[in-house]
Amino acid sequence: MAEKNAVVDLVWGGEEISKVIGRTPRVTFSLLEKGEIPAKKVGGRWVASRQKLIDFLVEAA
């Protein structure tokens, strides 16, 4: 069972997200705008959980 107070490793910004998922920033921003990547916009900046990005990639493979 996962600990309730586990630290969430957040990835801030589309360019950093692109590095995690191995895509170009241009492709990443397109996927973000279409809602195809598990991320949200906070204060005008994209943010995503590193673990959710990894889960998303594993699921898509």
Side-chain angles (χ1 to χ4, degrees):
M1 186 170 174
E3 185 179 323
K4 284 186 178 183
N5 295 327
V7 176
V8 177
D9 186 11
L10 297 178
V11 180
W12 285 90
E15 288 191 24
E16 290 302 313
I17 293 170
S18 72
K19 292 176 187 175
V20 173
I21 66 169
R23 300 287 186 255
T24 65
R26 184 178 196 155
V27 169
T28 301
F29 280 106
S30 176
L31 293 170
L32 288 166
E33 292 295 336
K34 292 177 187 175
E36 295 181 18
I37 295 176
K40 294 187 182 220
K41 221 171 196 182
V42 176
R45 203 166 164 208
W46 288 103
V47 63
S49 159
R50 184 176 306 275
Q51 187 58 52
K52 286 188 179 183
L53 291 173
I54 292 167
D55 293 345
F56 167 75
L57 291 174
V58 170
E59 190 176 292

